[in-house]
Amino acid sequence: MKPAFRGLLVVVAGSVLLAGCTGDPDPGPTTASPTEAVAEGGRYVALGDSYTAGPRLGVTTGAQGCEQTAGNYPHLLADRLGLELTDVSCGGATSESLTASQTPPNGAPVPPQLDALTADTDLVTLSIGGNDGKAFGTLVTTCVGLALKDRQGAPCAELGDQARDGLGSQVTTLARRLGKAVKKIRERAPKARIVMVGYPQMFPASGTCDLLPLAKGDYPFARDLIERVVQAQQDAATQAGIDYVDVWTASEGHDICSADPWVAGLVPAERALEYHPYAQEQRVVADLLEELLAGS
């Protein structure tokens, strides 16, 4: 199922829409997120995984092992708008990492990301979910490994029912988990404007390339899985009455196999971690957020 995206910026504060592909019940009554502009000097908290952290894109910031850098979109946005930034994004984070400690590779345990929120927080961005159920990791490790023995087939899509159902189950319930996370954010930061930030297009709609060494038949499986994650993010934002930034639409034509990729493949062409955003993608996300906030 393809996400029913509504344009580059989807401002959904105050609206309610039942989940589309998630199949989850409405998590309950919602309260619209504040939509006023965030003033210079306002307190900004960034929550997320490696697609927020921006690995290898600049000077390392944040906790050891989180692969967070000053080249990520939270730092870019904070610099542009003169905001006081607390960035707790961390590579490998799942939706569980919002409320429970996470131990990144080669690092010490880090506190739950929501611990960074305070009553005087003015802006919160949230982008998470791709690591739930090890969805992203499965695609770029397990599926790539399986392709070595079956280049023309679809070995990842044809995994045993238990493995596929495990991934599908995590994605199916993601919107509800994100909705609960937004509720917890509101409890800790009641006056904050909350923005859900979606993921970019990583896998092409058609064709294959050496930079993305999946089996030929697994490309549609990989793209569909990430589309479902992105749709769950959008559904959660709509249900919760918060803003949603549609990075998927903005990144059309810039997947790993494109002539102008915004996400690195197996061998990055410039500074970036493999299968993670280039600096251009992070600049675009900062642009979209700046546009959204300026239109308040």
Side-chain angles (χ1 to χ4, degrees), residues 26-31 183 186 239:
D26 189 334
T30 61
T31 302
K183 183 177 180 181
R186 283 199 176 107
Q239 291 169 359

Side-chain angles (χ1 to χ4, degrees), residues 11 45 55-56 75 81 121 124 128 141 154 158 169 207 229 241 268 272 296:
V11 183
V45 176
R56 315 282 172 86
H75 281 81
L81 301 184
T121 300
V124 178
I128 210 156
T141 56
E158 295 167 2
S169 175
V229 170
S296 300

Side-chain angles (χ1 to χ4, degrees), residues 226-284:
I226 298 303
E227 279 186 320
R228 292 172 61 197
V229 170
V230 172
Q231 184 67 65
Q233 291 176 315
Q234 183 174 351
D235 288 343
T238 305
Q239 291 169 359
I242 65 172
D243 298 313
Y244 174 75
V245 170
D246 182 2
V247 183
W248 183 275
T249 298
S251 61
E252 184 173 357
H254 298 285
D255 58 77
I256 291 173
C257 293
S258 69
D260 181 23
W262 289 357
V263 178
L266 179 62
V267 181
E270 58 188 76
R271 190 165 56 181
L273 181 64
E274 56 268 24
Y275 307 120
H276 283 79
Y278 285 127
Q280 177 62 17
E281 190 270 352
Q282 296 286 286
R283 287 193 291 267
V284 169

